[in-house]
Amino acid sequence: MTYFKKSEWLAERLGQAGLVIVDTRYALNDSEAGIRAYAEAHIPGAYYLKLSHDLSGPKRPGGEGGRHPLPEPAALAEVLGRIGIGRSTTVISYDDQGGAMASRLRWLLQWIGHDGDVFLLEGGFAAWQAAGHPVSSETPAVVEGITYEPVVQNGLLISQAEVRAKIGQAGTVIIDSREAPRYRGEVEPLDPAAGHIPGAINRFWNEGKRADGTWKSPEEQAERFAGLSKDDEIIVYCGSGVTATPNVFALQDAGFRNVKLYAGSWSDWSSDVENPVAVGDEEKA
């Protein structure tokens, strides 16, 4: 079963019981842009969750945990309950950032053991509008009486210390999901140091989509990761644990089962000056 749905699928199910729509639009250079866009127009019935508030925890001293630390499971569960998401609810998430923010929510739900289906809206809000579907500026009411019971799947995560110990280890592949210039250390607009984790290979997350913006098939995703063994432990990171999540799902779609997210990612790694940094291209897998 694919993890994305087209706007026609959602249009036919607006208002359906057991389905919650979540708007996750967010601009890294303007933290209020998403909520402004939501207030102006959104899919009818959609709730808004903000990356830096609802889908992340508070920033920690010294940059530990990165720019978007994971939220505490109990705090995330409270947020989910008030927008009507229980453990078996079907969720469809959208953004206008190519699916990166929507994927963050989908990964968080996987992390806390969600039982229901979680989909991304293919093409995001722009595709919804382009198809001529209705929009709304009304904010739906907070839902009462739903308590989300998280069952945390910590095997989906890996810590900075564990990543450090895995560098160069046989049977482990580290994937950097950022654009190539950031991976190579040619530019670094956000974090303390430029470069990448030594030994990491580069697979830019947005290459998981076709030229028209649709997500690639499992077979096409497998081609992106050709040369990697299904027996390998795959560690995926990006700048702050957000755009790595589409790569996590691409790998899972391609049949890789031992895939872990380094949630703090480069922003966490580069906050510690003792951590080694590599620049340039690593040998391709």
Side-chain angles (χ1 to χ4, degrees), residues 31-285:
S31 64
E32 300 304 310
I35 189 64
R36 289 197 303 269
Y38 172 82
E40 182 177 332
H42 53 263
I43 295 174
Y47 290 89
Y48 182 76
L49 294 185
K50 186 176 182 179
L51 171 65
S52 59
H53 179 70
D54 302 303
L55 306 182
S56 301
K59 291 184 179 180
R60 303 169 196 162
E64 180 189 356
R67 283 181 280 111
H68 296 112
L70 292 182
E72 289 296 325
L76 177 60
E78 192 277 329
V79 167
L80 297 174
R82 73 169 184 253
I83 65 170
I85 298 178
R87 287 188 52 81
S88 61
T89 303
T90 298
V91 178
I92 186 161
S93 178
Y94 70 90
D95 59 35
D96 256 349
Q97 286 72 41
M101 308 303 161
S103 291
R104 167 76 165 206
L105 173 58
R106 185 172 187 264
W107 187 90
L108 288 172
L109 285 164
Q110 189 177 83
W111 174 54
I112 62 170
H114 193 68
D115 292 328
D117 291 326
V118 185
F119 302 112
L120 307 187
L121 180 64
E122 185 100 78
F125 188 63
W128 178 267
Q129 286 186 301
H133 296 309
V135 298
S136 173
S137 60
E138 295 183 9
T139 302
V142 170
V143 178
E144 303 288 345
I146 292 184
T147 301
Y148 196 102
E149 300 282 350
V151 181
V152 180
Q153 309 294 304
N154 279 326
L156 299 176
L157 276 173
I158 192 164
S159 69
Q160 181 188 126
E162 290 170 320
V163 173
R164 193 183 305 114
K166 296 281 186 179
I167 293 174
Q169 189 174 104
T172 296
V173 177
I174 304 175
I175 295 178
D176 186 313
S177 305
R178 299 171 299 164
E179 291 186 81
R182 287 187 72 191
Y183 163 79
R184 292 194 296 262
E186 296 165 4
V187 297
E188 183 43 67
L190 298 169
D191 295 317
H196 60 265
I197 297 172
I201 61 173
N202 186 215
R203 298 290 185 273
F204 180 37
W205 73 272
N206 211 29
E207 291 171 354
K209 295 184 292 180
R210 306 182 186 95
D212 65 358
T214 59
W215 294 96
K216 292 181 177 178
S217 68
E219 294 76 19
E220 291 170 306
Q221 299 292 10
E223 290 176 10
R224 296 178 59 217
F225 304 108
L228 305 187
S229 169
K230 298 292 175 61
D231 295 326
D232 286 339
E233 174 188 47
I234 313 293
I235 298 169
V236 188
Y237 76 95
C238 58
S240 64
V242 178
T243 59
T245 56
N247 260 352
V248 169
F249 297 130
L251 284 156
Q252 291 175 349
D253 231 17
F256 293 87
R257 292 293 170 259
N258 190 9
V259 183
K260 296 178 180 177
L261 176 69
Y262 173 25
S265 287
W266 185 249
S267 54
D268 175 62
W269 185 268
S270 60
S271 70
D272 186 341
V273 296
E274 298 298 321
N275 282 332
V277 172
V279 295
D281 278 316
E282 299 276 354
E283 183 180 350
K284 298 293 183 182

